[in-house]
Amino acid sequence: MTESRSYVLAAGGTGGHMVPAAALAVELTRRGHHVALISDDRGVRFPGLFEGVETHVLPAGRLGGGPIGMARAVGKMLAGRSMALKLYKARRPAAVIGFGGYPAFPALLAAFRARIPTIVHEQNAVLGRVNRLVAGKVDAIATSYEHVERLKSGWEPKTHLIGNPVREEVLALRDRPYPVLDEDGIFRVLVTGGSQGASVLSQVVPDGLALLPVHFRRRLQVTHQARVEDIDTVRAKYAAHSIPAEIATYLADMPERLAWAHVVIARAGASTIAELTAAGRPAILVPLPTATDDHQTANAREISEAGGARTIAQRAFTAPELAKQMQKLGLETEGLALAAARARSCGRPYAVRDLADLVESINAPAAPVGKARAAATQGRPAYA
């Protein structure tokens, strides 16, 4: 058993950053290590994550907003770095692991200053802004996709294909069979826009499902996660179309909803893709067009090319187009089960284990972890 160590995880306050960080925290704690979290106000209050974990809020400004905005951001980052250095002096972490998002930036800058080994984990198929800024200096880069855009060739020796960790409850779905869909049985649809919801799904999905042939439409049962401002309109639409639907702004039991679903209609955020491929659920994906570097379109590419999902650009996401794609997926039971299997084939179920192995190995030369492209590099001695 590895000796007990202290680790610091640094992540921005969105679900895409927080969920894999929380999964790693659980695994490292299980292995006997102490874990602390650095985030922003949103991250430390994220529902259902990091219970019992020591948490710290650091100031971290977003780069942009002209000269004045940049000056303010730099000031906040320097203040955050100073706070992180004090934390590291007290906790003496064996490594700092960043998951992207601006709160991770000052934490990593402080780790460089204190000569603490560092790792970044990239959830998306495009290397994010903060990870690009620090990638040249960190000891290891963990990726979730085999092909990651904006990852420089010079960084490949320290790059490891790990996957995107998911919650244990979602990973457990991998051992459960795809729900049987009888020819005349209930067809269950889960609609989710991620932690922020998605108004376009609320605008299009009810009307699109209403265009399905009568024999198909009458079998539908829908669970739809909607934004607060959309919920009354969405509920009224489903009622007008006589489609049984449960509408909620937040689904606390998302893993069970995913187990229940025959098809998922969703955005293409990193955590959504990781959960779909872990559980093996076919999907219709509508990437967020304003996502930085269009990373959601890149995220959807692997599962779509494998045949586990159909991707519709938001500009083409209309009620008739959704109805057409739903019929292609759902009218043939065997085809639907095959799509589920193809989605599952894209999953990387050992991501959290492999990431924890990489974290533990970063202080010394290590053998390749999982599908690593190269052995982990040696970390710098802490506080040398």
Side-chain angles (χ1 to χ4, degrees):
M1 180 178 177
T2 306
E3 63 178 1
S4 179
R5 298 173 183 165
S6 176
Y7 293 105
V8 172
L9 312 186
T14 65
H17 301 307
M18 302 305 293
V19 170
L24 178 62
V26 169
E27 179 65 17
L28 290 174
T29 301
R30 181 189 291 119
R31 297 185 184 198
H33 303 300
H34 177 270
V35 176
L37 169 70
I38 287 176
S39 190
D40 55 14
D41 290 327
R42 298 172 301 163
V44 298
R45 294 196 304 267
F46 215 89
L49 302 179
F50 294 100
E51 294 179 3
V53 174
E54 175 188 336
T55 57
H56 302 268
V57 175
L58 262 63
R62 294 179 62 89
L63 298 175
I68 295 176
M70 287 289 290
R72 288 175 179 170
V74 170
K76 288 183 177 180
M77 288 178 184
L78 291 175
R81 186 185 70 164
S82 179
M83 292 174 64
L85 282 168
K86 292 179 181 179
L87 172 64
Y88 300 162
K89 186 174 182 180
R91 291 288 180 266
R92 300 189 68 83
V96 175
I97 303 95
F99 287 84
Y102 284 102
F105 193 43
L108 290 164
L109 291 179
F112 298 151
R113 177 70 177 269
R115 298 187 180 181
I116 300 170
T118 51
I119 300 170
V120 291
H121 178 271
E122 179 56 59
Q123 302 87 47
N124 294 300
V126 181
L127 199 64
R129 288 179 179 175
V130 168
N131 284 348
R132 290 201 300 270
L133 287 171
V134 300
K137 295 192 67 175
V138 299
D139 295 286
I141 302 168
T143 64
S144 301
Y145 295 87
E146 185 172 357
H147 301 289
V148 178
E149 297 175 20
R150 307 196 73 163
L151 184 69
K152 293 182 179 179
S153 59
W155 299 335
E156 288 189 4
K158 60 180 178 181
T159 299
H160 304 256
L161 175 57
I162 295 291
N164 195 8
V166 298
R167 293 169 286 179
E168 289 184 334
E169 300 90 335
V170 174
L171 190 57
L173 302 182
R174 200 166 179 84
D175 297 325
R176 294 170 59 173
Y178 180 72
V180 175
L181 180 62
D182 297 328
E183 187 174 341
D184 297 320
I186 294 173
F187 190 98
R188 297 186 288 270
V189 180
L190 173 63
V191 184
T192 174
S195 61
Q196 304 299 316
S199 289
V200 68
L201 300 184
S202 297
Q203 294 162 6
V204 174
V205 172
D207 294 337
L209 297 182
L211 295 178
L212 293 171
V214 174
H215 70 279
F216 192 176
R217 188 173 70 246
R218 286 177 176 172
R219 298 165 57 199
L220 294 175
Q221 184 172 336
V222 179
T223 296
H224 190 128
Q225 179 219 356
R227 289 181 174 178
V228 173
E229 60 267 30
D230 298 330
I231 197 165
D232 290 338
T233 301
V234 175
R235 185 176 287 116
K237 280 189 172 186
Y238 281 116
H241 297 316
S242 299
I243 297 174
E246 178 184 354
I247 320 298
T249 57
Y250 177 71
L251 300 173
D253 58 344
M254 181 61 80
E256 196 56 36
R257 303 287 183 162
L258 193 58
W260 166 94
H262 292 109
V263 167
V264 179
I265 303 173
R267 286 297 198 193
S271 290
T272 297
I273 300 294
E275 292 185 351
L276 289 171
T277 57
R281 291 296 180 271
I284 292 173
L285 301 172
V286 186
L288 176 66
T290 57
T292 306
D293 300 315
D294 197 22
H295 67 254
Q296 288 204 3
T297 297
N299 291 349
R301 191 167 296 131
E302 183 180 55
I303 185 175
S304 296
E305 289 179 351
R310 294 172 181 269
T311 300
I312 306 174
Q314 183 164 311
R315 64 181 179 277
F317 186 59
T318 63
E321 181 63 21
L322 174 61
K324 181 175 73 174
Q325 297 301 332
M326 279 291 294
Q327 289 185 77
K328 288 181 177 180
L329 269 177
L331 286 180
E332 295 184 11
T333 301
E334 291 183 1
L336 193 63
L338 180 59
R342 288 175 172 172
R344 188 179 186 276
S345 73
C346 296
R348 296 183 173 91
Y350 305 114
V352 70
R353 181 202 68 185
D354 291 348
L355 183 57
D357 287 349
L358 178 61
V359 167
E360 288 184 331
S361 72
I362 203 63
N363 286 320
V369 179
K371 296 181 180 178
R373 296 181 212 167
T377 57
Q378 293 189 32
R380 295 180 293 270
Y383 299 101

